[in-house]
Amino acid sequence: MLEVRFNQQISMDARGRVTVPSRLKAALDYNRIHSIVFIVHQDRLRGYTPKDFSGRVEAPLMGNDAFDPYEDEKQLLRLGSATELDIDTQGRFV
């Protein structure tokens, strides 16, 4: 599990790219991870490695009753905004 915690404002350049914070970029490079799965949580982005996202976010939700409206809503809130983005060699994503 890759754990890098930070609370930082990020900005987008004119081409729609966001630079990954240096601490995160170093950890991703060290672990040879080239993408991040982001979910929106309130007014923040939460990022997971693809492996951690599958195990910590998707797997617990997939075991629930898909026909239960409450469980369906939980899945939609967590998984509906999930997006996997590739990190380029300069440490940016679009």
Side-chain angles (χ1 to χ4, degrees), residues 10 12 16-20 24 28 33-40 45-50 53 81-88 91-94:
I10 56 176
M12 189 180 306
R17 298 173 299 195
V18 175
T19 301
V20 174
L24 177 57
L28 291 170
I33 298 169
H34 305 289
S35 64
I36 301 175
V37 179
F38 287 102
I39 60 173
V40 177
L45 286 177
R46 286 191 177 188
Y48 298 87
T49 65
F53 182 78
S81 67
T83 304
E84 184 171 354
L85 300 174
D86 293 326
I87 307 296
D88 69 14
R92 301 172 301 199
F93 61 87
V94 178

Side-chain angles (χ1 to χ4, degrees), residues 46-70:
R46 286 191 177 188
Y48 298 87
T49 65
K51 183 179 177 181
D52 284 341
F53 182 78
S54 293
R56 297 175 69 188
V57 179
E58 276 183 320
L61 292 173
M62 292 300 133
N64 298 333
D65 181 4
F67 296 104
D68 179 344
Y70 175 74

